[in-house]
Amino acid sequence: MAVDEHAHRNPAFHLPVFRRNRTSVSASGVSEHLGTHTAAQAYTLASLRILTGFVFLWAFLDKVFGLGYATASGKGWVDGGSPTKGFLSSVAAGPMESTFHSWAGRTWVDWLFMLGLLAIGAAAMAGVALRPAAVAGTAMMALMWIAEWPPARHLSNGSPSMSTNPFADYHVIYAVALIAVAAAGAGTTWGLGRLWARLPIVRNHTWLR
Protein backbone atom coordinates (compact mmCIF):
# COMPACT_ATOMS: atom_id res chain seq x y z
CA MET A 1 0.00 0.00 0.00
CA ALA A 2 2.77 2.36 0.90
CA VAL A 3 4.46 1.47 -2.35
CA ASP A 4 1.28 2.20 -4.32
CA GLU A 5 0.80 5.56 -2.63
CA HIS A 6 4.42 6.49 -3.30
CA ALA A 7 4.05 5.65 -6.91
CA HIS A 8 0.88 7.67 -7.30
CA ARG A 9 2.23 10.67 -5.44
CA ASN A 10 5.45 10.83 -7.50
CA PRO A 11 4.50 10.47 -11.13
CA ALA A 12 7.40 12.77 -11.93
CA PHE A 13 9.68 9.77 -11.98
CA HIS A 14 8.39 9.04 -15.47
CA LEU A 15 8.09 12.60 -16.76
CA PRO A 16 11.79 13.37 -17.24
CA VAL A 17 12.17 10.28 -19.39
CA PHE A 18 9.14 11.27 -21.46
CA ARG A 19 10.39 14.82 -21.89
CA ARG A 20 13.87 13.74 -22.85
CA ASN A 21 12.48 11.42 -25.47
CA ARG A 22 10.19 14.11 -26.80
CA THR A 23 13.08 16.58 -26.95
CA SER A 24 15.29 14.03 -28.65
CA VAL A 25 12.67 13.23 -31.27
CA SER A 26 11.95 16.93 -31.77
CA ALA A 27 15.63 17.78 -32.15
CA SER A 28 16.07 14.92 -34.60
CA GLY A 29 13.13 16.16 -36.65
CA VAL A 30 14.46 19.73 -36.71
CA SER A 31 17.92 18.51 -37.67
CA GLU A 32 16.49 16.42 -40.50
CA HIS A 33 14.38 19.34 -41.67
CA LEU A 34 17.35 21.72 -41.62
CA GLY A 35 19.48 19.19 -43.45
CA THR A 36 16.86 18.81 -46.18
CA HIS A 37 16.41 22.58 -46.38
CA THR A 38 20.16 23.14 -46.68
CA ALA A 39 20.49 20.49 -49.37
CA ALA A 40 17.63 22.03 -51.33
CA GLN A 41 19.34 25.43 -51.14
CA ALA A 42 22.64 23.94 -52.31
CA TYR A 43 21.03 22.23 -55.31
CA THR A 44 19.05 25.34 -56.20
CA LEU A 45 22.13 27.57 -56.12
CA ALA A 46 24.14 25.00 -58.07
CA SER A 47 21.43 24.94 -60.74
CA LEU A 48 21.42 28.74 -60.89
CA ARG A 49 25.22 28.75 -61.20
CA ILE A 50 25.29 26.23 -64.03
CA LEU A 51 22.47 27.86 -65.97
CA THR A 52 23.99 31.33 -65.61
CA GLY A 53 27.37 30.00 -66.68
CA PHE A 54 25.79 28.37 -69.72
CA VAL A 55 24.30 31.72 -70.77
CA PHE A 56 27.81 33.20 -71.00
CA LEU A 57 29.44 30.12 -72.48
CA TRP A 58 26.73 29.70 -75.11
CA ALA A 59 27.07 33.36 -76.12
CA PHE A 60 30.80 32.76 -76.58
CA LEU A 61 30.30 29.64 -78.72
CA ASP A 62 27.57 31.24 -80.84
CA LYS A 63 29.70 34.31 -81.55
CA VAL A 64 32.79 32.25 -82.33
CA PHE A 65 31.23 29.72 -84.69
CA GLY A 66 28.08 31.50 -85.92
CA LEU A 67 25.65 28.82 -84.77
CA GLY A 68 22.68 30.58 -86.31
CA TYR A 69 21.09 31.98 -83.18
CA ALA A 70 22.23 35.47 -82.15
CA THR A 71 25.03 35.16 -84.71
CA ALA A 72 24.13 34.14 -88.24
CA SER A 73 25.86 31.21 -89.87
CA GLY A 74 29.01 32.33 -91.65
CA LYS A 75 29.25 35.50 -89.55
CA GLY A 76 31.13 33.98 -86.62
CA TRP A 77 34.43 35.18 -85.25
CA VAL A 78 36.25 32.31 -86.99
CA ASP A 79 34.73 33.48 -90.27
CA GLY A 80 36.18 36.96 -89.86
CA GLY A 81 33.15 38.57 -88.24
CA SER A 82 33.35 40.90 -85.27
CA PRO A 83 31.56 39.86 -82.05
CA THR A 84 31.03 43.48 -80.98
CA LYS A 85 30.62 45.54 -84.14
CA GLY A 86 26.93 44.86 -84.74
CA PHE A 87 25.86 45.42 -81.15
CA LEU A 88 27.99 48.45 -80.32
CA SER A 89 27.40 50.21 -83.62
CA SER A 90 23.64 49.93 -83.08
CA VAL A 91 23.68 51.66 -79.67
CA ALA A 92 21.15 54.48 -79.98
CA ALA A 93 20.69 55.86 -76.48
CA GLY A 94 22.51 56.60 -73.26
CA PRO A 95 25.47 58.68 -72.12
CA MET A 96 28.09 56.47 -73.81
CA GLU A 97 26.50 56.19 -77.24
CA SER A 98 29.35 57.84 -79.14
CA THR A 99 31.96 55.98 -77.08
CA PHE A 100 30.43 52.60 -77.89
CA HIS A 101 30.28 53.54 -81.58
CA SER A 102 34.00 54.26 -81.52
CA TRP A 103 34.67 50.90 -79.83
CA ALA A 104 32.60 48.85 -82.26
CA GLY A 105 34.67 46.22 -84.06
CA ARG A 106 37.96 47.19 -82.44
CA THR A 107 40.28 44.20 -82.06
CA TRP A 108 41.00 44.82 -78.39
CA VAL A 109 37.29 45.14 -77.64
CA ASP A 110 36.51 41.89 -79.47
CA TRP A 111 39.20 39.98 -77.60
CA LEU A 112 38.34 41.44 -74.21
CA PHE A 113 34.65 40.72 -74.69
CA MET A 114 35.14 37.18 -75.93
CA LEU A 115 37.69 36.22 -73.31
CA GLY A 116 35.34 37.61 -70.68
CA LEU A 117 32.44 35.49 -71.94
CA LEU A 118 34.60 32.37 -72.03
CA ALA A 119 36.20 32.89 -68.61
CA ILE A 120 32.98 33.82 -66.82
CA GLY A 121 31.00 31.01 -68.42
CA ALA A 122 33.63 28.32 -67.81
CA ALA A 123 34.26 29.44 -64.22
CA ALA A 124 30.58 29.50 -63.32
CA MET A 125 29.83 26.12 -64.85
CA ALA A 126 32.88 24.51 -63.23
CA GLY A 127 32.23 26.18 -59.87
CA VAL A 128 35.70 27.75 -59.59
CA ALA A 129 36.91 31.35 -59.28
CA LEU A 130 33.34 32.47 -58.67
CA ARG A 131 34.35 35.74 -56.99
CA PRO A 132 36.50 37.00 -59.89
CA ALA A 133 33.82 35.76 -62.29
CA ALA A 134 31.17 37.73 -60.39
CA VAL A 135 33.26 40.91 -60.53
CA ALA A 136 34.05 40.53 -64.24
CA GLY A 137 30.49 39.50 -65.08
CA THR A 138 28.99 42.42 -63.18
CA ALA A 139 31.31 44.86 -64.97
CA MET A 140 30.38 43.36 -68.35
CA MET A 141 26.67 43.42 -67.59
CA ALA A 142 26.92 47.02 -66.37
CA LEU A 143 28.50 48.11 -69.66
CA MET A 144 25.89 46.23 -71.68
CA TRP A 145 23.14 47.76 -69.54
CA ILE A 146 24.53 51.23 -70.29
CA ALA A 147 24.71 50.34 -73.98
CA GLU A 148 21.04 49.39 -74.09
CA TRP A 149 20.12 52.15 -71.60
CA PRO A 150 16.73 50.89 -70.35
CA PRO A 151 15.78 54.25 -68.73
CA ALA A 152 15.38 55.82 -72.18
CA ARG A 153 11.83 56.05 -73.50
CA HIS A 154 13.05 57.18 -76.91
CA LEU A 155 16.15 56.52 -78.97
CA SER A 156 18.42 59.28 -80.24
CA ASN A 157 16.45 59.37 -83.51
CA GLY A 158 13.20 59.96 -81.62
CA SER A 159 11.67 56.52 -82.13
CA PRO A 160 10.31 54.57 -79.11
CA SER A 161 12.97 52.59 -77.30
CA MET A 162 10.55 49.74 -76.50
CA SER A 163 12.15 49.44 -73.07
CA THR A 164 9.96 47.37 -70.77
CA ASN A 165 11.57 48.42 -67.49
CA PRO A 166 13.72 51.46 -66.66
CA PHE A 167 16.08 49.50 -64.41
CA ALA A 168 15.64 45.75 -63.91
CA ASP A 169 16.44 44.06 -67.20
CA TYR A 170 18.17 40.73 -67.82
CA HIS A 171 21.65 42.25 -67.44
CA VAL A 172 20.86 43.13 -63.82
CA ILE A 173 19.45 39.63 -63.21
CA TYR A 174 22.59 37.94 -64.57
CA ALA A 175 24.85 40.16 -62.47
CA VAL A 176 22.86 39.45 -59.30
CA ALA A 177 22.89 35.72 -60.07
CA LEU A 178 26.68 35.72 -60.38
CA ILE A 179 27.04 37.67 -57.13
CA ALA A 180 24.63 35.34 -55.33
CA VAL A 181 26.38 32.10 -56.28
CA ALA A 182 29.78 33.59 -55.47
CA ALA A 183 28.63 34.88 -52.07
CA ALA A 184 27.06 31.50 -51.26
CA GLY A 185 30.10 29.51 -52.35
CA ALA A 186 27.89 27.52 -54.71
CA GLY A 187 30.78 25.84 -56.48
CA THR A 188 30.98 22.96 -53.98
CA THR A 189 27.76 21.32 -55.20
CA TRP A 190 27.95 19.83 -58.71
CA GLY A 191 31.22 21.68 -59.20
CA LEU A 192 34.95 21.73 -58.54
CA GLY A 193 34.77 24.33 -55.79
CA ARG A 194 36.24 22.12 -53.06
CA LEU A 195 39.23 21.08 -55.18
CA TRP A 196 39.74 24.67 -56.28
CA ALA A 197 39.73 25.93 -52.67
CA ARG A 198 42.49 23.46 -51.75
CA LEU A 199 44.98 24.90 -54.22
CA PRO A 200 47.78 26.75 -52.39
CA ILE A 201 47.33 29.96 -54.38
CA VAL A 202 43.59 29.99 -53.63
CA ARG A 203 44.15 29.28 -49.92
CA ASN A 204 46.54 32.24 -49.78
CA HIS A 205 44.30 34.54 -51.83
CA THR A 206 40.69 33.98 -50.82
CA TRP A 207 39.45 36.49 -53.39
CA LEU A 208 40.16 33.82 -56.02
CA ARG A 209 37.48 31.49 -54.62
Side-chain angles (χ1 to χ4, degrees):
M1 187 68 176
V3 173
D4 289 341
E5 286 183 40
H6 185 68
H8 286 295
R9 290 178 183 176
N10 297 278
F13 281 110
H14 301 285
L15 290 179
V17 177
F18 172 74
R19 287 174 180 170
R20 281 199 299 270
N21 290 341
R22 183 173 64 183
T23 303
S24 177
V25 172
S26 177
S28 175
V30 171
S31 178
E32 183 178 353
H33 172 73
L34 290 176
T36 303
H37 185 64
T38 301
Q41 287 181 324
Y43 295 139
T44 300
L45 286 168
S47 300
L48 177 63
R49 169 180 59 79
I50 293 170
L51 288 172
T52 305
F54 185 70
V55 169
F56 285 85
L57 193 58
W58 175 261
F60 170 80
L61 295 173
D62 183 62
K63 292 180 184 300
V64 169
F65 300 108
L67 300 179
Y69 289 86
T71 306
S73 179
K75 300 292 185 179
W77 203 18
V78 296
D79 301 308
S82 169
T84 65
K85 186 174 182 179
F87 175 69
L88 293 182
S89 61
S90 65
V91 172
M96 294 182 63
E97 179 180 352
S98 59
T99 301
F100 286 132
H101 288 172
S102 67
W103 288 358
R106 295 285 187 91
T107 301
W108 67 271
V109 178
D110 286 346
W111 275 95
L112 193 61
F113 179 61
M114 295 299 285
L115 289 177
L117 288 177
L118 175 61
I120 296 165
M125 293 196 70
V128 302
L130 294 180
R131 294 179 183 178
V135 173
T138 299
M140 179 183 291
M141 291 299 100
L143 286 171
M144 294 181 73
W145 186 90
I146 294 172
E148 294 197 6
W149 201 244
R153 295 182 180 179
H154 296 87
L155 302 179
S156 55
N157 61 6
S159 62
S161 68
M162 305 302 291
S163 176
T164 58
N165 190 298
F167 174 71
D169 72 344
Y170 64 98
H171 298 105
V172 176
I173 302 301
Y174 291 154
V176 171
L178 287 171
I179 293 170
V181 297
T188 57
T189 301
W190 298 339
L192 304 175
R194 295 185 192 279
L195 294 175
W196 177 259
R198 292 173 188 164
L199 296 177
I201 188 173
V202 178
R203 287 202 307 265
N204 296 331
H205 302 85
T206 55
W207 63 270
L208 289 173
R209 290 186 178 180

